[in-house]
Amino acid sequence: MDRMGPSEFRAGGSMSRTAAPIVVRGLEHWFGEGEAKKQVLFDVDLVLQPGKLTVLLGASGSGKTTLLTLMGCLRRVQQGSVTLLGMELAGAAEDVLVQCRRRLGFIFQAHNLHDSLTAMQNVRMGLEVHGPAATAQWESAAAHLLDLLGLRERLNYLPGNLSGGQKQRVAVARALIGNPDIVFADEPTAALDKESALNVVTLLKRLGTERGTTTLMVTHDSKIMDLADQIITMDEGRIVQDSSLS
Amino acid sequence: MTELLAKLLGRLPIGWLQLVHNKTRLPAAVAGVSFASVLVLMQLGFLGALVGSIRLPYDQMNADILISASDMNTPADGSPLPRQRMFEALSVEGVARATPLYYGKIEWKQSDGTIRNLDVFGIDPSSETIRNPAIEARLADIARADVALIDAKTRNAPDGLFAQIANGQPYRFEVKGRTLTVVGTFEIGGGFTADGYLVISDQTFLRLFPQRAAGAPNHILVSLAPGADVRSTIERLRAVLPAYDSSVRTVAEAFDKDRAFQTTQRPVGLVFGFGIVIGVLVGIIIVYQVLSTDVAEHLKEYATFKAIGYPQRFFLSIVFEEAAILAALGFIPGFVVSLGLYAMIAAATGLPLAMTGARAVFVLIGVLGMCLLSGAIATRKLARANPADLF
Ligand SMILES: Nc1ncnc2c1ncn2[C@@H]1O[C@H](COP(=O)(O)OP(=O)(O)OP(=O)(O)O)[C@@H](O)[C@H]1O
Ligand SMILES: [Mg+2]
């Protein structure tokens, strides 16, 4: 893989990537109302280190996705504190949350590409959110990233004409094109073959060392766990093990 | 197109890409907007033709002020005025001339038995009641008994007849038991109630309509003396003429009142107005249907864009982008079809049906507003796009 120069990515704007990008304190979360109200997170505490790959483990229903969406500004904090890139999310206004999301990259289990947009255009959507920039710059950055992910021949394909793995790699490119401070990935490798999965994780690790990008990934892939800097295990809404504390 | 829109919007034209991606929805939506455009343009065309034909007789009146019966709505209805009103008007300061206009309707029977309806002007051949050079030139001819001039734009007249008359070959026809001799032509044009016009002298008119009370005209056409003020002359006329039988207005005011009456109180005007409402409703419903389905089908994509950090106004702008595209794509074929229909109907009916630039722009803006309104309603569905549901 080529080296990625900073100029290929969104220019400027990101804060110092040396402070802890995420600090969670005493986080609790409930779903439902009244009789059906059910607590799914209990007193969650965690700190992520900048530029590191953290893997989140836990049985189904243990609250991994809920925690991820709270840290990713996709859900409102009900109780406790989430400090994201120095910003308190508890009680933050909607437009603050929208601003915060622009500094994050999401890789979902499903690719969630827009069917009417080509691979390039889907990736471009990850950049346009930062405001108008020279199209030529976007296109070369997007093309470069897609090339790194082995999609050089597929730039102008619609998602309908791509394989599942190819679509997921386009989604990865869309998450990374904006040079996010933090990448959240929820079982992103399910749709990828072993080689692509490893390829994506290697890319994320390299972004960590070269640019200080922090990654939090939910996965049960033992190959990826081997590459992790930190592993957090959840059970029934609580953090039961955190490798950074032991 | 995508590049052009990208430049215009300063972003990827997602709405456009979404619309062209769906091979059945776009044509259906465009057809719907076109249909609505045609409907509205046709109704406005008819309404315009109606107004145009209402204007025709007023344009012929060589006068500043029109005195008519107080119960008059259109030139052809209302009670006749006592002839005495003419002499009373003449005595008012500022009035230079007051001439009678007799207005009637006759049936012109064709050799094949069909009937054309003609509106008849009965005028004093010694004064300039009518503002039409072809008529003014032949006043001496119609001064003779039972001599007439006919509208060369009369609908469905026998082929070549008017050319023949213009070439000096008089045409005779029977009406109300008398024989009229047509010796010349002029041009006014038919409307919704008459196929054309006939001009005769007041004396001939009274012979054709013997039931008409001694010399009672339908209208009195008043010309102002040089320098006289219209408004104050009207006030003086109103002071002299009894309001129970006469109304005094400028010719333009009389036309305005007639137009308001015929477009809002007669079935024909109401039908056209109703047609416009139907067209707009059809358009709104179709566009709403298309846009709300489109939003509903893309909730997942929109939720993803929300997760990426796009604000609510971005999604509104996608829906409005689609609405504006549908308006533009739908209006253009609708406009072209309407031009064709205008030409066809004008040729078939002789109605003054013509597209005006103002009407085209007005309907384009209306169609755009209609699409944007539908889009605005469709954006309510956007709230259902929740990025937390994506995982
Ligand atoms: N939108 C929701 N409404 C109500 N309950 C929910 C909702 N989302 C999740 N839950 C519940 O919260 C608990 C935690 O769910 P969550 O999705 O966070 O688990 P998870 O660890 O991601 O599981 P999995 O491995 O299956 O993805 C579960 O009991 C789940 O049923
Ligand atoms: Mg989950």
Side-chain angles (χ1 to χ4, degrees):
Chain A
M1 280 198 280
D2 305 347
R3 256 194 71 83
M4 278 181 290
S7 66
E8 287 151 2
F9 286 106
R10 173 168 67 94
S14 55
M15 67 171 254
S16 139
R17 285 178 175 180
T18 50
I22 295 183
V23 179
V24 177
R25 292 292 172 228
L27 185 65
E28 319 246 332
H29 199 82
W30 291 264
F31 282 117
E33 299 273 314
E35 287 279 293
K37 190 163 171 175
K38 179 185 154 205
Q39 185 162 8
V40 297
L41 290 183
F42 301 85
D43 193 26
V44 171
D45 282 308
L46 64 83
V47 178
L48 296 192
Q49 295 308 320
K52 301 299 184 198
L53 169 64
T54 302
V55 165
L56 190 56
L57 283 179
S60 180
S62 59
K64 304 181 296 291
T65 299
T66 308
L67 180 55
L68 212 74
T69 52
L70 283 163
M71 292 189 290
C73 309
L74 301 179
R75 245 184 238 295
R76 295 198 153 273
V77 174
Q78 295 171 343
Q79 194 176 318
S81 148
V82 176
T83 314
L84 182 94
L85 301 163
M87 198 96 74
E88 176 56 56
L89 298 186
E94 178 66 25
D95 58 326
V96 172
L97 295 180
V98 170
Q99 287 293 332
C100 272
R101 286 178 203 155
R102 295 186 191 170
R103 302 182 56 186
L104 311 175
F106 289 100
I107 305 170
F108 310 94
Q109 197 164 358
H111 56 81
N112 290 329
L113 296 181
H114 195 309
D115 277 347
S116 311
L117 309 185
T118 64
M120 274 291 277
Q121 289 169 334
N122 267 293
V123 174
R124 185 169 158 180
M125 288 309 294
L127 252 191
E128 275 195 354
V129 73
H130 300 295
T135 313
Q137 234 176 303
W138 292 352
E139 299 205 335
S140 63
H144 181 70
L145 197 51
L146 286 168
D147 193 17
L148 277 179
L149 289 160
L151 293 164
R152 186 204 295 260
E153 315 295 330
R154 297 286 186 273
L155 301 185
N156 295 313
Y157 279 48
L158 290 174
N161 301 324
L162 295 175
S163 73
Q166 287 168 338
K167 281 189 270 211
Q168 187 61 305
R169 279 179 277 156
V170 174
V172 170
R174 180 180 60 192
L176 299 183
I177 188 72
N179 190 18
D181 293 289
I182 308 169
V183 174
F184 290 105
D186 199 347
E187 306 193 40
T189 55
L192 296 176
D193 58 84
K194 284 224 157 17
E195 200 198 321
S196 312
L198 223 49
N199 202 347
V200 166
V201 176
T202 316
L203 178 60
L204 287 168
K205 280 217 68 155
R206 238 187 62 210
L207 287 174
T209 37
E210 287 175 8
R211 343 186 91 262
T213 309
T214 308
T215 303
L216 178 65
M217 185 181 287
V218 175
T219 185
H220 291 97
D221 187 326
S222 57
K223 280 248 177 49
I224 297 174
M225 286 193 277
D226 291 344
L227 292 168
D229 299 297
Q230 181 181 0
I231 296 180
I232 297 173
T233 312
M234 293 187 74
D235 187 37
E236 297 193 337
R238 296 172 203 274
I239 291 183
V240 292
Q241 202 182 353
D242 184 339
S243 67
S244 70
L245 302 177
S246 53
Chain B
M1 186 70 185
T2 303
E3 278 315 304
L4 179 78
L5 285 170
K7 285 227 171 62
L8 217 65
L9 294 166
R11 60 165 172 80
L12 265 182
I14 313 248
W16 163 252
L17 292 168
Q18 259 168 226
L19 283 175
V20 294
H21 190 71
N22 194 312
K23 297 282 179 284
T24 51
R25 191 174 302 147
L26 180 64
V30 167
V33 176
S34 298
F35 177 71
S37 307
V38 169
L39 216 54
V40 171
L41 281 169
M42 291 318 292
Q43 303 304 322
L44 284 179
F46 287 130
L47 210 52
L50 176 63
V51 170
S53 71
I54 293 169
R55 184 193 299 275
L56 292 174
Y58 293 95
D59 279 350
Q60 298 297 316
M61 295 176 183
N62 187 21
D64 303 299
I65 295 168
L66 187 65
I67 301 171
S68 307
S70 51
D71 58 357
M72 166 263 192
N73 286 308
T74 74
D77 62 25
S79 328
L81 285 165
R83 192 174 174 80
Q84 188 190 344
R85 301 285 172 256
M86 195 169 85
F87 303 113
E88 288 165 351
L90 271 172
S91 70
V92 169
E93 183 199 336
V95 173
R97 188 161 51 83
T99 54
L101 176 65
Y102 297 85
Y103 204 109
K105 288 177 172 296
I106 60 158
E107 293 183 342
W108 174 25
K109 214 174 197 158
Q110 312 282 293
S111 49
D112 64 1
T114 60
I115 283 167
R116 306 286 167 263
N117 293 299
L118 297 179
D119 275 10
V120 183
F121 288 148
I123 58 173
D124 175 358
S126 66
S127 56
E128 295 145 2
T129 311
I130 298 293
R131 192 199 304 276
N132 187 320
I135 297 172
E136 287 167 70
R138 306 297 295 266
L139 288 178
D141 294 311
I142 63 166
R144 290 181 286 142
D146 295 341
V147 171
L149 304 175
I150 198 164
D151 186 354
K153 281 184 160 177
T154 301
R155 255 195 299 266
N156 300 325
D159 284 343
L161 175 65
F162 300 131
Q164 224 177 76
I165 297 169
N167 282 335
Q169 222 177 308
Y171 166 76
R172 288 187 179 79
F173 71 96
E174 295 262 324
V175 58
K176 293 179 182 265
R178 305 189 72 88
T179 302
L180 290 184
T181 307
V182 182
V183 299
T185 63
F186 57 90
E187 288 195 351
I188 295 180
F192 282 74
T193 54
D195 297 305
Y197 286 82
L198 191 79
V199 174
I200 52 181
S201 72
D202 45 2
Q203 296 310 314
T204 307
F205 187 95
L206 291 170
R207 275 195 289 273
L208 272 184
F209 298 88
Q211 75 282 19
R212 186 63 69 102
N218 295 76
H219 308 279
I220 297 163
L221 275 56
V222 174
S223 298
L224 291 177
D229 175 61
V230 181
R231 294 259 58 102
S232 52
T233 309
I234 286 177
E235 288 316 312
R236 283 192 292 272
L237 282 165
R238 283 179 181 159
V240 170
L241 303 174
Y244 62 81
D245 69 7
S246 329
S247 64
V248 185
R249 301 185 190 89
T250 65
V251 174
E253 285 166 354
F255 161 67
D256 284 341
K257 181 170 178 287
D258 188 353
R259 183 191 53 190
F261 170 76
Q262 296 207 46
T263 52
T264 62
Q265 293 186 41
R266 277 212 166 160
V268 63
L270 285 177
V271 162
F272 298 149
F274 189 63
I276 293 170
V277 172
I278 294 289
V280 170
L281 280 182
V282 165
I284 287 179
I285 290 166
I286 291 177
V287 174
Y288 168 72
Q289 201 57 44
V290 165
L291 292 183
S292 66
T293 313
D294 189 75
V295 168
E297 278 184 12
H298 289 97
L299 284 180
K300 222 174 149 93
E301 284 86 347
Y302 293 163
T304 307
F305 291 151
K306 275 189 187 174
I308 289 175
Y310 284 95
Q312 180 68 9
R313 63 171 185 282
F314 170 78
F315 304 100
L316 298 181
S317 78
I318 292 179
V319 178
F320 287 127
E321 171 196 340
E322 293 184 308
I325 288 168
L326 291 183
L329 291 186
F331 176 77
I332 295 165
F335 179 73
V336 172
V337 167
S338 299
L339 280 185
L341 288 175
Y342 273 33
M344 266 169 56
I345 294 172
T349 63
L351 287 173
L353 202 65
M355 185 67 77
T356 63
R359 183 182 304 147
V361 171
F362 174 74
V363 173
L364 175 59
I365 292 172
V367 166
L368 187 66
M370 173 187 92
C371 290
L372 292 180
L373 175 67
S374 305
I377 309 172
T379 56
R380 290 187 313 173
K381 288 223 158 90
L382 280 173
R384 292 204 215 135
N386 181 2
D389 297 338
L390 287 170
F391 288 100

